[in-house]
Amino acid sequence: MTSQVFQILLALADAPRHGYAIITDVEARTGGEIRLTASTLYDALARLLDQRLITELEAPPAAATDHDARRRYYALADAGRDAVRDEAARLERMLAMARAKNLAPRRR
Amino acid sequence: MAFYRALLYLLPARERARHGEQMAIAFASLERRAGVFARVWLWLREVAGLLRFAARTRLGGWRAPGFGSGSEFRWAWRGVRARGWRGVMSVVLLALAIGGNAVVFSAADSFVLERTLYPEAERLVQVGRTGAFAWGASHALESIPAWRSFTDLFSAVYAYRWQASWYVTSGQGPRFVPAVAVEPGLLDLLGARPVAGRLFVRGDEHADPATLCVIAEDLAIEQFGSAQNALDQTITLSLGDVHARVVGVVSTGFRFDTGDVRVWTPFDPTVPLPYGGATLVFQMAAGQSRDAVENAVRAREDSVPQGASASYKRLKPLAPLDVRPLSPTEERIEQLFTLLVAASGCLLFIACANVLHLEWTHSLSRMRSHAIALALGATRGSLVRGALIEGLIMTSAAGAAGASLGALGLHLLRTELPNKLIVALTNPLDFDIRTLAFMVAVVGIAWLITSLPLAIVCSRRSVLSSLQLEGRSASGSRAGRWIRSGLTVGEMAATTGLLVGALLAGRSYTTLLGTPKGFDTYGVGVVSVTQRPGAAEKPKDLGPRILSSLRARPDVRYAAAAQGVPPSSGGGINGNLRVVGRDEPLGLVTVNSYGVDSQFFSAMRLPIVDGHAFSDSDQPEAVVIDEELAKKYWPGSSPVGDRITFGNPRFFRGTGVYEVVGVAKHMRTNYDPAVGTSEDTFALYYRLADDAALTFVLRFTDPSRLDDALAMVRTLATGDRVTGELITDRYAAMFSNEMIAASIMSVFSGLAFVVAIAGLYAVMAFLVASRTREIGIRVALGADRARIQRLVMGGSLALVATGAAIGGVAAFVGARWASSLLIGVSTTEPWTYAAVIGSVTIAALLATWQPARAAAAVDPTILLRD
């Protein structure tokens, strides 16, 4: 799983979001380290939809504040949630290995 | 966004349908918040991402046969890298040409080729005539039924009426927007589509006229967050605190007549108006032509009620009725863009010619590498494919860089062009994808012409003969020499032509700017205040308060209140000029009146040539007239002391009888032609007494003090709209066409000059390099070095002189054709041509100097030993 896809799935973990909201969420959370463009985002979203890791909502969620009738919202599917968990666990294992070799800071 | 939507066609139809609209929305949001440079970077990343997306979804796991091994890609990439600085230069040259052309063609599309995006735009016309001030399409309301009865000529007639700029107040605070009252049906006729709510329907106009409105999407987003949110909201319009409910929102791309209208209210032409008439839009009946309709309306004119123009007719015969397209193109603008398109074409030609040169200088080593590839077992097909991929890489790089440059250029054009030109566009200034595609295709073809024959020729020769090649490459042949000479001559001709054009356009612009205005423009600023709706303070209290504060400033020498500031009209009227006591009227004149206070003439430093400027002892009827009016009707005598009337009982105030107290030097206004002065329109100054003028003319000690004074006025008129500009900028705006012509021609000719001279250098360096052996033999046979140097320089000079001469002649012909754009300069003046041809030749000789020295330095002993 690429870090972009991981971040997109993370962005959908709390609530369904539309495309632009995903871009701004990822950018804010990573401190600008990952800046998605519309094409990279939707390329990833298309793949995630095909893999059924996310779903597209029929109607905007009730809690959506910046309501624009044209926007479509995406939510994390159960399979997607599992995939994020697996990836996080994998990253955790990697980090542990790096720590064992003193290549990553110890957990505080 | 049109460009972005076009790029989405790279994606397969399924992905486009699934995600295209969402991508466009997200990209628009990203673009909105990015600055200029961030936007260029965003575009580059977006295009790269789109290409990846397209490749993944279109190609998937499929690989083109023969490309599978990737060896062609590797060969091609190696070929690209082997070009070194030549490759970079080729890409930069092509990108400049593509970007420049994209900007010019996109602008030409909006300004000339496709003025409107209305459906069946060729059937939409206006009927009007040239009046005292300009062409007008305003008609008396009582004429509308008569126009509608001509069903054989028109299938639809709709009326609209301009409102003053309206104050829109809603959640996000007040803002001025131009508004138009339209008859229900007109917006539908012009192809407006609501993005939320609806357009006007019959019956809306009978409601209280300003209780309903349709607004543009960008205003809806600005004031309410989104189009949907704006529906049923109430906005406060105008100074009269009219409340209007939003019934519909139309997309921002929809432009009405002039592009900056953002609010539409329903218009009822059956309700009499306090003054003036309405503008009519006609849809010609199917099958009618403009000429036929024009003849028919001229013949039937008498059966149409004329309202107020009937009284004007008694003074002066009316001009015949004309039928014009809804958004006509000025002939001058059309000519301007024809010139610019020619200029950008020249630049493209020069860039392509240089790329050809650069490719040819490289051809020898390319042939060797092709030969090695063949020796290593590459097939002829793979060689050609490799050349194609190389071309694709270079062309794509140039295309992407050119698109970014073009987008940047258009952005600059949108922000730097005078606002009045941009808002007048009914087809918004967008990146034209067709232009980009065309330019990339031209560049691609130029590429194919250079590189493909080389690959084919190589693949037909034996490996050994290719490797043995030296000194006699394909480009060293007689045909190659001819083509190279032809290209060099062409480049020099195009450069000379562009430089002459730029010089003439620049001189025309500076001549126009420098035309005497009649007063000292340096340091004069104009500050205007428009009060917010419901402001408590009366203009007659606010005006003097601001004026006295301005006068107290040490950086303001004089401050005057004025109604009307040049070069625009102060307010005009036509009338028969009479002197009280004389029987015969002096003549029919158009008066352009400015209301001014006693400091106005000092603030403007507008000299009084006869009589005196206003003083407090003057009667309210005192006027100061323009020198040209005095010269025309009081030749050899003084008008001072005469009492005059304009036939009309009164127009600005008083009894209608005015006493001339002074004669002011002629002040240039919009009514004066570009060269000379108007013969029937004259400035006239009347005294502002208790008139509440909120426009101030200021003479600063230094023009840079304007911003400071503006800031002060803003604190005095909190919440009101305060604008300010230097009077030199107001005059400069009169010559915006000339400004565009001069600046774009300068940029293009400057680029062309640099590119062509660099190209000449590359050609001469290549020629010397390919003739090294020949030169060595000449030296060995006793030719001295000066002679060798002369030989090289002479060859270059012949090409340059021929090109410059051809370019000079072409420029002369072009300048004659465009003489209406080149006001105030002579197109036949020889020194302009001599200066350009001279500088091109000198620059060319300098560019040849180094290769000539290199040729003279050839050492025959080393050469022959090699």
Side-chain angles (χ1 to χ4, degrees), chain B residues 348-705:
Chain B
L348 183 67
F349 164 74
I350 293 174
C352 284
N354 266 310
V355 170
L356 296 188
H357 283 324
L358 287 169
E359 281 300 302
W360 274 329
T361 57
H362 189 54
S363 61
L364 206 63
S365 65
R366 297 293 301 140
M367 286 184 97
R368 289 214 188 110
S369 69
H370 282 330
I372 292 168
L374 282 172
L376 290 179
T379 62
R380 188 186 294 176
S382 72
L383 213 58
V384 172
R385 272 201 300 274
L388 282 176
I389 296 171
E390 238 177 279
L392 198 69
I393 293 173
M394 299 288 281
T395 316
S396 312
S404 309
L405 280 178
L408 188 68
L410 271 182
H411 173 82
L412 288 178
L413 206 60
R414 272 194 293 260
T415 49
E416 294 302 315
L417 273 188
N419 200 36
K420 71 164 186 157
L421 279 182
I422 294 294
V423 299
L425 288 176
T426 45
N427 177 4
L429 196 53
D430 284 331
F431 200 102
D432 193 7
I433 181 71
R434 292 166 299 179
T435 311
L436 185 69
F438 176 72
M439 293 303 147
V440 172
V442 169
V443 168
I445 290 169
W447 193 274
L448 284 184
I449 292 173
T450 26
S451 56
L452 217 49
L454 200 67
I456 293 170
V457 167
C458 279
S459 63
R460 284 170 192 268
R461 307 174 79 104
S462 75
V463 173
L464 209 58
S465 69
S466 285
L467 286 173
Q468 276 175 344
L469 265 178
E470 187 164 343
R472 278 190 54 81
S473 64
S475 50
S477 67
R478 177 172 293 185
R481 248 195 331 268
W482 271 103
I483 295 175
R484 215 169 34 238
S485 304
L487 285 176
T488 308
V489 168
E491 273 183 64
M492 289 300 141
T495 307
T496 309
L498 282 178
L499 280 174
V500 170
L503 198 63
L504 289 174
R507 281 183 54 213
S508 172
Y509 180 53
T510 48
T511 307
L512 286 175
L513 276 189
T515 314
K517 311 292 182 289
F519 62 96
D520 178 9
T521 52
Y522 182 80
V524 178
V526 179
V527 172
S528 301
V529 178
T530 316
Q531 286 192 288
R532 66 192 178 280
E537 195 171 9
K538 293 250 162 44
K540 75 173 171 36
D541 299 325
L542 178 63
R545 191 159 68 84
I546 294 175
L547 198 58
S548 59
S549 302
L550 285 170
R551 283 180 180 157
R553 290 175 66 92
D555 55 0
V556 173
R557 289 225 173 92
Y558 294 98
Q563 247 166 17
V565 178
S568 45
S569 162
I573 194 145
N574 302 287
N576 253 326
L577 173 65
R578 287 171 186 273
V579 176
V580 175
R582 288 197 220 165
D583 292 339
E584 282 301 301
L586 299 183
L588 188 69
V589 296
T590 300
V591 172
N592 173 19
S593 66
Y594 298 93
V596 301
D597 71 8
S598 53
Q599 285 210 5
F600 177 80
F601 296 101
S602 314
M604 296 280 280
R605 287 201 189 130
L606 181 62
I608 300 292
V609 293
D610 191 6
H612 61 84
F614 295 128
S615 65
D616 291 338
S617 57
D618 284 327
Q619 295 298 310
E621 283 78 19
V623 292
V624 170
I625 64 171
D626 192 275
E627 184 185 16
E628 294 296 321
L629 180 66
K631 269 192 212 158
K632 183 165 177 184
Y633 294 109
W634 285 268
S637 63
S638 169
V640 174
D642 277 358
R643 285 149 54 78
I644 57 174
T645 72
F646 293 94
N648 217 319
R650 46 181 293 169
F651 62 94
F652 36 92
R653 66 140 167 262
T655 57
V657 179
Y658 306 97
E659 187 190 346
V660 180
V661 297
V663 177
K665 195 169 159 64
H666 176 67
M667 178 175 77
R668 266 196 99 68
T669 68
N670 280 342
Y671 299 113
D672 290 313
V675 176
T677 55
S678 166
E679 291 184 354
D680 55 2
T681 306
F682 306 97
L684 179 142
Y685 311 87
Y686 62 92
R687 269 190 70 198
L688 265 184
D690 47 356
D691 296 78
L694 289 178
T695 301
F696 310 97
V697 176
L698 310 170
R699 176 162 292 278
F700 292 102
T701 49
D702 185 312
S704 63
R705 302 302 302 159

Side-chain angles (χ1 to χ4, degrees), chain B residues 16-57:
Chain B
R16 209 167 54 241
R18 269 171 88 196
H19 301 296
E21 182 60 26
Q22 297 299 304
M23 290 172 72
I25 296 173
F27 185 70
S29 305
L30 284 172
E31 206 193 12
R32 246 198 307 274
R33 63 170 205 191
V36 178
F37 293 106
R39 196 173 288 192
V40 172
W41 181 231
L42 179 70
W43 268 100
L44 286 174
R45 287 168 60 215
E46 185 66 27
V47 170
L50 261 171
L51 288 173
R52 260 200 314 272
F53 193 179
R56 183 181 72 77
T57 45

Side-chain angles (χ1 to χ4, degrees), chain B residues 594-866:
Chain B
Y594 298 93
V596 301
D597 71 8
S598 53
Q599 285 210 5
F600 177 80
F601 296 101
S602 314
M604 296 280 280
R605 287 201 189 130
L606 181 62
I608 300 292
V609 293
D610 191 6
H612 61 84
F614 295 128
S615 65
D616 291 338
S617 57
D618 284 327
Q619 295 298 310
E621 283 78 19
V623 292
V624 170
I625 64 171
D626 192 275
E627 184 185 16
E628 294 296 321
L629 180 66
K631 269 192 212 158
K632 183 165 177 184
Y633 294 109
W634 285 268
S637 63
S638 169
V640 174
D642 277 358
R643 285 149 54 78
I644 57 174
T645 72
F646 293 94
N648 217 319
R650 46 181 293 169
F651 62 94
F652 36 92
R653 66 140 167 262
T655 57
V657 179
Y658 306 97
E659 187 190 346
V660 180
V661 297
V663 177
K665 195 169 159 64
H666 176 67
M667 178 175 77
R668 266 196 99 68
T669 68
N670 280 342
Y671 299 113
D672 290 313
V675 176
T677 55
S678 166
E679 291 184 354
D680 55 2
T681 306
F682 306 97
L684 179 142
Y685 311 87
Y686 62 92
R687 269 190 70 198
L688 265 184
D690 47 356
D691 296 78
L694 289 178
T695 301
F696 310 97
V697 176
L698 310 170
R699 176 162 292 278
F700 292 102
T701 49
D702 185 312
S704 63
R705 302 302 302 159
L706 172 69
D707 288 339
D708 219 38
L710 266 177
M712 189 200 77
V713 175
R714 287 203 176 101
T715 60
L716 294 172
T718 322
D720 294 340
R721 183 184 187 223
V722 178
T723 55
E725 59 187 330
L726 291 175
I727 208 153
T728 41
D729 291 339
R730 289 174 67 91
Y731 276 95
M734 284 171 73
F735 309 119
S736 45
N737 287 353
E738 288 73 14
M739 195 266 289
I740 304 171
S743 44
I744 299 191
M745 289 291 278
S746 314
V747 171
F748 274 15
S749 61
L751 282 178
F753 184 67
V754 173
V755 169
I757 294 298
L760 184 74
Y761 172 78
V763 170
M764 295 317 292
F766 166 67
L767 276 184
V768 169
S770 63
R771 286 169 68 187
T772 313
R773 176 164 289 190
E774 176 209 320
I775 294 170
I777 292 169
R778 280 173 190 258
V779 173
L781 292 178
D784 63 11
R785 299 195 183 275
R787 198 181 156 142
I788 297 291
Q789 215 159 338
R790 273 204 304 278
L791 180 81
V792 176
M793 301 282 273
S796 154
L797 194 62
L799 296 181
V800 172
T802 315
I806 294 174
V809 173
F812 179 74
V813 174
R816 298 292 295 227
W817 173 77
S819 56
S820 71
L821 282 172
L822 299 169
I823 299 154
V825 291
S826 160
T827 56
T828 52
E829 209 178 296
W831 83 260
T832 309
Y833 297 87
V836 170
I837 294 175
S839 28
V840 168
T841 313
I842 290 170
L845 285 180
L846 287 178
T848 324
W849 181 251
Q850 200 273 334
R853 273 171 56 96
V858 167
D859 186 341
T861 51
I862 296 173
L863 194 80
L864 295 176
R865 200 174 56 218
D866 284 345

